[in-house]
Amino acid sequence: MSNVSHARSDISGHPDASEMRARYDRMMGGRDVALVDAPVFLVGLYCAVSPWVLHFTASQPALVTHNLVMGIAIAVLALGFTVMPERMYGLSWAMCAIGAWVIVSTWVVGSSPDAGIIISNIIVGGLTILLGMACAGAAARSRST
C-alpha cells in the first residue's frame, strides 16, 4: 500500500499561480453586486405588470404602455448585469435616470392618476434609483482598483 500522507506544498509555488490568480480576478471582476441583479429584475417585472396588478388598464392607457416599456427596459438591464457585468455596469446611471423618469412620468404621461398609481410608481422609481446607485457604486469601485 502506498503512503499518501506526504506533506502538501503551498500552491504559491506553482509555476502558473500568478496566471491562475489573475484569471480568477478577471472572472470575478464586476460581480461586486451580484445580489442586486435579482432585485433589479423583480422591480422591472413589477413595473411591467403593475397596470394589471393595480387595475388601471382602462383608466390610464398611456401609462399602461409606459409602465410596460419601462419595466421591460429595467428587466433587460438586469439581465445584462447578470450576463455581461463588466460591460453593463456602465449603464447603471441610465437605470437611475429611468427610475427618476418613472416617478415623474406618473404626472407627465398619466392623466390625473389616483393615489395607488402614484404610490406604486414612486416606490418602483425609488427602488430603481437606489439599485442603480448601488450598481454604479460597485462599477466605480471596480474601475478604481
Side-chain angles (χ1 to χ4, degrees):
M1 192 170 306
S2 65
N3 184 5
V4 291
S5 63
H6 55 80
R8 295 181 181 197
S9 62
D10 190 1
I11 189 130
S12 61
H14 193 279
D16 295 331
S18 61
E19 182 182 337
M20 289 187 294
R21 208 172 281 120
R23 183 171 186 262
Y24 179 78
D25 290 341
R26 276 195 319 271
M27 294 295 291
M28 293 308 290
R31 296 303 300 157
D32 296 337
V33 290
L35 295 176
V36 178
D37 298 347
V40 170
F41 182 76
L42 291 175
V43 166
L45 186 65
Y46 174 76
C47 184
V49 300
S50 65
W52 293 275
V53 171
L54 298 175
H55 304 293
F56 64 87
T57 53
S59 63
Q60 301 287 334
L63 206 52
V64 169
T65 306
H66 172 270
N67 278 15
L68 179 64
V69 170
M70 291 293 104
I72 290 171
I74 294 168
V76 166
L77 280 174
L79 290 174
F81 293 156
T82 302
V83 175
M84 298 179 292
E86 64 281 349
R87 293 182 180 202
M88 293 295 292
Y89 280 132
L91 291 174
S92 302
W93 291 112
M95 194 165 71
C96 294
I98 289 173
W101 172 246
V102 168
I103 293 172
V104 173
S105 68
T106 307
W107 295 279
V108 175
V109 176
S111 55
S112 64
D114 65 356
I117 299 169
I118 293 170
I119 291 171
S120 175
N121 277 12
I122 287 174
I123 291 172
V124 167
L127 286 172
T128 304
I129 291 170
L130 289 175
L131 293 169
M133 288 172 49
C135 293
R141 276 193 311 274
S142 68
R143 274 190 230 120
S144 67
T145 58

